[in-house]
Amino acid sequence: MTDSFFTRTLGLSGLVLLGLGGCSQVAQLPAPPNPLSVNRSEAAAPSRPPLPLPENGNFIVAAVEREGAAVVRINASRRVGNADPFGGLFGGPPANDRVERGSGSGFIFDSNGLLMTNAHVVEGADRVQVRLKDGRTYEGKVLGADSVTDVAVVKIDAKDLPTVRLGNSDQLRPGEWAIAIGNPLGLDSTVTVGIISATGRSSSEVGIPDKRVGFIQTDAAINPGNSGGPLLNAAGEVIGINTAIRADGQGIGFAVPINTARRIADQIIQTGKASHPLLGVQMLPLTPEIAQENNRNPNARIKLPEIEGALIVQVLPNSPAAAAGIRRGDVITTADGQSIRSASDLQAAVEKKKVGDRLSLDLLRQQQKRQVTVQLAEIPQQ
């Protein structure tokens, strides 16, 4: 049974996370020696040319033959309580003896047994089993799972394993080839192909407002069980982690960019968790068209500038934004001197900072220009 208790449908968007069950770097302190540290000489390399083609000249076959051995199946399970208060004395099952199971995908990025998957594939699991393509099965240890970016790192006790090559998701362009490998609906080692439909999809656009990721959108077919599996480019490099689909659409899937996933995985390996800076606002993209529509409304409480920017719709109490004097209705236009043309631009500016850093913001408030400096706090773990 695939994705039994791990699949979640969120709100009216029909978004499904396909497995069990926001984002900047921690302060860059010198990391202590770590036996799980990854040899990233290959991971840090620039994007490579396409793999040598097989005899039939198919680059998809070449990519799958090179990377497919490093794609794994993850079976996760947990015990849950039941409603029998007598622990089975009167014929019912004993309390806490029911086991819920789900499955997803993952990929090995270090030959000494480190693999990436989605956090929602392994969150809450009491037991994680990892099955390789060649049939070998290992018990997995979850080193950390970050729900804000939906990235997790799992360790298995094995050496000399096949690994994927990590690409550069910052260089993606809509229209490029996209290849998904995973285990949808229990069908192991399934390959689908499509294109990169869009990049930088904000969490609000995707329908997961509690995440802080600029998602990759793809029309490569992904289904429950694909979650945590790799999305490859034409060169056979991993460019994303397949994460969610729109259940109310066709050919609308989303992946966490590999640059984001790699950064979070590094933090998890070094510290056991990821740390994220908090600004403390809810925002929407502002365009001249949106502003004009608002301003034509005689009941509108405020007049909006007919520009592009990030419109603040709520300021969280006791947040860094509140302490800096940011108000509902403010329009953020620059961050540290860089133009802000949308809510996702402001999110990206925050993600580039570390907890405790200061962020200089220019904003418009009732047509008046203002400048504020915000000292970013840390998003609580819960």
Side-chain angles (χ1 to χ4, degrees), residues 173-179 193-198 216-220 231:
R173 295 175 298 174
E176 292 186 32
W177 288 104
I179 307 165
V193 66
I195 62 170
I196 301 297
S197 303
I216 301 167
Q217 181 181 332
T218 180
D219 69 347
L231 188 69

Side-chain angles (χ1 to χ4, degrees), residues 1-289:
M1 183 175 180
T2 302
D3 288 339
S4 57
F5 67 102
F6 312 123
T7 299
R8 292 179 283 173
T9 303
L10 304 181
L12 298 177
S13 66
L15 188 93
V16 178
L17 298 180
L18 305 170
L20 182 111
C23 316
S24 187
Q25 299 177 351
V26 294
Q28 296 179 341
L29 300 176
N34 191 317
L36 301 180
S37 181
V38 183
N39 181 353
R40 291 174 180 77
S41 58
E42 181 178 8
S47 184
R48 296 171 175 79
L51 295 168
L53 295 182
E55 292 183 0
N56 63 8
N58 191 317
F59 71 91
I60 301 171
V61 173
V64 172
E65 288 182 348
R66 168 61 180 82
E67 312 298 329
V71 180
V72 303
R73 178 184 177 122
I74 297 178
N75 296 316
S77 62
R78 67 178 177 188
R79 290 186 175 275
V80 295
N82 60 60
D84 183 359
F86 302 104
L89 292 178
F90 300 99
N96 298 319
D97 77 337
R98 184 163 60 91
V99 178
E100 291 184 330
R101 295 180 172 85
S103 65
S105 305
F107 54 90
I108 303 167
F109 66 100
D110 180 82
S111 61
N112 291 322
L114 288 175
L115 59 97
M116 287 189 215
T117 185
N118 284 142
H120 72 262
V121 170
V122 296
E123 271 183 325
D126 300 320
R127 186 182 184 189
V128 174
Q129 286 188 317
V130 177
R131 189 171 75 191
L132 276 58
K133 186 177 181 180
D134 61 14
R136 288 181 290 170
T137 301
Y138 298 91
E139 293 296 318
K141 177 183 178 182
V142 180
L143 299 185
D146 180 49
S147 61
V148 177
T149 55
D150 204 13
V151 174
V153 178
V154 176
K155 177 74 169 67
I156 60 176
D157 187 13
K159 304 288 185 182
D160 300 323
L161 296 173
T163 61
V164 297
R165 301 183 304 164
L166 303 183
N168 185 352
S169 53
D170 290 343
Q171 298 178 349
L172 291 179
R173 295 175 298 174
E176 292 186 32
W177 288 104
I179 307 165
I181 308 178
N183 310 297
L185 303 173
L187 302 171
D188 290 351
S189 303
T190 294
V191 179
T192 57
V193 66
I195 62 170
I196 301 297
S197 303
T199 60
R201 291 297 193 201
S202 68
S203 299
S204 59
E205 289 178 306
V206 172
I208 321 178
D210 62 331
K211 308 302 178 192
R212 289 176 59 183
V213 177
F215 288 96
I216 301 167
Q217 181 181 332
T218 180
D219 69 347
I222 55 178
N223 291 281
N226 271 112
S227 230
L231 188 69
L232 311 177
N233 61 14
E237 301 167 326
V238 177
I239 52 173
I241 303 179
N242 298 319
T243 298
I245 59 173
R246 285 290 294 266
D248 57 347
Q250 293 183 347
I252 303 178
F254 301 97
V256 178
I258 195 60
N259 288 10
T260 297
R262 181 163 50 190
R263 171 169 54 82
I264 297 302
D266 284 345
Q267 293 183 36
I268 289 173
I269 292 168
Q270 293 175 12
T271 68
K273 66 182 184 73
S275 181
H276 306 284
L278 172 69
L279 177 59
V281 299
Q282 291 182 351
M283 53 191 172
L284 292 172
L286 178 67
T287 66
E289 293 76 19

